[in-house]
Amino acid sequence: GKIEEGETPKQALCREIKEELNGEVKEAHFLFHVVHFYTEFRIKLHVWKCDLILNPVEDKLHKWLKLKDFNKYPMPSGSAKIFDKLVEQIK
């Protein structure tokens, strides 16, 4: 999600987790940035490792995956950059 005016990246993370997953962040550790370019602008993606107080339940729209299984699913190129960098870090 987008960082709203006046928010830190960590505050935006916690808000987005609440809005999108109805979850609450217990701990969050910043991992790295990824810069992604679109035709008319660029974005800086902040990547975090989070522990939630309660993990959201799986349903028809949500499923927990292991990192090794991410490449089996289509994803936007910015997300693919994050996946590639995570895989590099665990090798």
Side-chain angles (χ1 to χ4, degrees):
K2 292 182 181 178
I3 298 173
E4 302 292 340
E5 189 173 330
E7 274 185 328
T8 65
K10 190 172 185 176
Q11 289 169 330
L13 167 73
C14 293
R15 178 183 48 75
E16 286 288 335
I17 294 289
K18 179 69 174 167
E19 290 175 4
E20 299 298 325
L21 301 174
N22 196 30
E24 188 176 341
V25 176
K26 180 175 160 182
E27 286 188 50
H29 303 282
F30 176 76
L31 297 177
F32 54 84
H33 291 114
V34 170
V35 176
H36 183 66
F37 294 88
Y38 290 96
T39 305
E40 297 181 14
F41 59 93
R42 75 178 175 100
I43 60 171
K44 185 178 191 179
L45 303 167
H46 303 260
V47 182
W48 297 80
K49 178 186 182 294
C50 298
D51 292 318
L52 303 182
I53 291 176
L54 291 173
N55 287 332
V57 242
E58 288 190 27
D59 58 26
K60 290 181 180 183
L61 297 175
H62 302 92
K63 181 177 179 177
W64 290 104
L65 299 174
K66 294 181 180 182
L67 185 60
K68 68 180 183 68
D69 296 327
F70 270 60
N71 63 350
K72 297 176 183 176
Y73 296 87
M75 66 182 84
S77 56
S79 298
K81 286 181 183 180
I82 293 169
F83 169 76
D84 291 343
K85 196 159 182 173
L86 287 171
V87 169
E88 285 175 19
Q89 287 187 352
I90 61 171
K91 285 185 179 179

